[in-house]
């Protein structure tokens, strides 16, 4: 029963947040915002962006796998990324486990070795997001509405402290209380091997990749009468990404909409009577739209290649158990 409640809690929290948000927003106003938007032009933007993200994300994974796993060709990594799009519909852990199992079967890379490299990449993403937030504050601090200009530096400070502590722990060998035992865990193998130059190089690459999402928001938001300068989006995008990766709700659904309304609503044009409805209309199209497009890309590009490599949950669990023995 406790296990079932633990699995249900994120879903219940997600439904609760979404329900609360809809109860405070005029649903008809959201519909009217969708009707007024040029959805055909917006769809073209989303399709083009999805293609660019697909090839760019695979390129960063190619660099990662060649450095820590095996010299995989780019076309093979496209297959890995395509498989992850399908599994990501289940959850992020399934996608990571699927990629690790894929390269184990294809290149003989130990399962935990592949999973460790992907976990390390997640941390590098945090490093890149903190750096982007710092750049955004440098150029767009004065554009932040209300009290946000005083709160965001605190978020940056906490993020910078976490990143600095982790780098000191893994690269300088300094323990924090009982954390020294983590160095012996196989899941952290890549953290032990990565040099500061690896962090710097991959953080630059991932920051460039994440910047694509800044470009998407800058191109898509005006369709809903939301006008945010690029410098400000450099602040908002990392903040929204941090909310999305916190495992409180399913893929950040609900929580990210609440934060998005708080951040974007002050930038809605005066011609729109309901600012929150405009923001939620944008979220309604961009979120599910990107998910559907990614699933389509995964099928169109790698269905034939990846058919034999799409793992079941039992395959991933068995591979993890074998590595643990």
């Amino acid at each position: 029963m406790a296990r079932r409640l633990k699995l249900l809690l994120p879903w219940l929290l997600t439904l609760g947040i979404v329900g609360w948000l809809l109860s405070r927003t005029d649903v008809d106003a959201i519909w009217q915002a969708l009707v007024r938007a040029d959805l055909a032009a917006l769809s073209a933007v989303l399709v083009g962006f999805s293609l660019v993200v697909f090839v760019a994300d695979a390129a960063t994974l190619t660099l990662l796998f060649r450095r820590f796993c095996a010299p995989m060709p780019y076309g093979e990594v496209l297959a890995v990324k395509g498989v992850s799009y399908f599994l990501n519909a289940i959850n992020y852990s399934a996608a990571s486990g699927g990629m690790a199992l894929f390269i184990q079967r294809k290149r003989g890379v130990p399962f935990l070795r592949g999973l460790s490299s992907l976990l390390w990449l997640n941390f590098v993403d945090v490093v890149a997001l903190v750096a982007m937030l710092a750049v955004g504050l440098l150029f767009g601090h004065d554009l932040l509405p209300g009290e946000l200009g005083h709160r965001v530096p605190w978020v940056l400070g906490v993020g910078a402290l976490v990143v600095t502590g982790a780098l000191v722990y893994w690269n300088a060998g300094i323990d924090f209380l009982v954390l020294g035992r983590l160095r012996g865990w196989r899941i952290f193998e890549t953290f032990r091997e990565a040099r500061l130059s690896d962090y710097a190089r991959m953080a630059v690459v991932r920051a460039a990749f994440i910047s694509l999402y800044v470009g998407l928001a800058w191109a898509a938001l005006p369709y809903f009468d939301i006008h945010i300068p690029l410098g400000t989006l450099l602040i908002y995008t990392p903040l929204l990404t941090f909310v999305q990766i916190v495992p409180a709700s399913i893929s950040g659904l609900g929580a990210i909409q609440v934060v998005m309304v708080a951040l974007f609503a002050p930038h809605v044009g005066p011609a729109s009577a309901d600012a929150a409805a405009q923001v939620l209309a944008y979220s309604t199209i961009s979120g599910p739209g990107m998910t559907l497009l990614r699933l389509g890309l995964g099928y169109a590009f790698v269905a034939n290649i990846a058919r034999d490599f799409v793992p079941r949950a039992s395959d991933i669990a068995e591979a993890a158990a074998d590595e643990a023995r």
Side-chain angles (χ1 to χ4, degrees):
M1 179 63 69
R3 175 180 172 83
R4 291 179 180 178
L5 288 175
K6 185 178 180 180
L7 292 174
L8 284 174
L9 186 59
W11 289 97
L12 294 175
L13 182 59
T14 299
L15 292 174
I17 296 174
V18 171
W20 175 82
L21 194 59
L22 290 177
S23 70
R24 297 173 60 88
T25 308
D26 187 348
V27 177
D28 184 63
I30 297 176
W31 174 253
Q32 292 302 317
L34 291 171
V35 170
R36 289 193 299 268
D38 187 348
L39 296 183
L42 178 60
S43 297
V45 171
L46 292 178
V47 169
F49 172 77
S50 298
L51 288 170
V52 172
V53 165
F54 183 55
V55 298
D57 204 359
T60 66
L61 284 175
T62 300
L63 296 175
L64 175 74
F65 292 149
R66 288 178 179 176
R67 170 64 180 89
F68 294 108
C69 297
M72 297 177 64
Y74 177 71
E76 207 167 84
V77 180
L78 277 176
V80 175
K81 192 58 195 175
V83 171
S84 76
Y85 280 154
F86 291 105
L87 295 176
N88 207 44
I90 302 173
N91 59 54
Y92 190 81
S93 297
S96 297
M99 285 191 283
L101 186 59
F102 187 106
I103 61 176
Q104 180 194 49
R105 291 182 175 181
K106 193 72 174 179
R107 293 288 166 179
V109 177
F111 178 78
L112 285 183
R113 174 74 177 186
L115 201 58
S116 177
S117 67
L118 293 167
L119 182 62
W120 179 78
L121 184 64
N122 290 343
F123 175 71
V124 171
D125 282 344
V126 174
V127 175
L129 288 168
V130 169
M132 290 177 64
L133 188 57
V135 173
L137 282 175
L138 181 63
F139 292 101
H141 179 271
D142 294 338
L143 301 175
L144 293 176
E147 292 295 319
L148 197 60
H150 300 290
R151 296 176 181 175
V152 172
W154 285 98
V155 176
L156 175 62
V158 171
L161 184 63
V162 170
V163 168
T164 301
L167 292 176
V168 167
Y169 175 80
W170 289 110
N171 295 90
I174 297 177
D175 292 339
F176 299 98
L177 300 178
V178 297
L179 295 182
R181 67 184 64 177
L182 297 179
R183 292 195 184 89
W185 293 8
R186 294 187 65 186
I187 191 63
F188 294 118
E189 186 176 7
T190 303
F191 287 81
R192 293 194 300 270
E193 295 182 9
R195 299 187 293 267
L196 288 177
S197 58
D198 293 318
Y199 283 95
R201 179 168 54 251
M202 190 58 72
V204 170
V205 171
R206 293 299 288 184
F209 170 71
I210 297 169
S211 295
L212 293 174
Y213 288 89
V214 178
L216 171 66
W218 183 75
L221 284 169
Y223 289 105
F224 294 91
D225 196 25
I226 306 171
H227 307 277
I228 306 177
L230 274 174
T232 306
L233 284 173
L234 278 173
I235 302 174
Y236 288 173
T237 300
L239 291 176
L240 291 171
T241 305
F242 282 133
V243 172
Q244 192 169 12
I245 62 179
V246 172
S249 61
I250 304 301
S251 297
L253 184 62
I256 196 169
Q257 277 72 32
V258 171
V259 177
M260 192 178 288
V261 169
L263 296 178
F264 290 179
H267 301 277
V268 174
S272 300
D274 192 329
Q278 294 294 126
V279 177
L280 291 177
Y282 165 76
S283 176
T284 300
I285 292 296
S286 61
M290 286 297 300
T291 298
L292 290 174
L293 287 170
R294 285 173 175 172
L295 289 173
L297 279 171
Y299 180 82
F301 283 92
V302 299
N304 293 330
I305 301 174
R307 186 178 292 116
D308 295 333
F309 295 96
V310 176
R312 297 169 296 182
S314 58
D315 294 330
I316 298 174
E318 183 180 349
D322 289 343
E323 289 290 338
R325 286 196 288 268

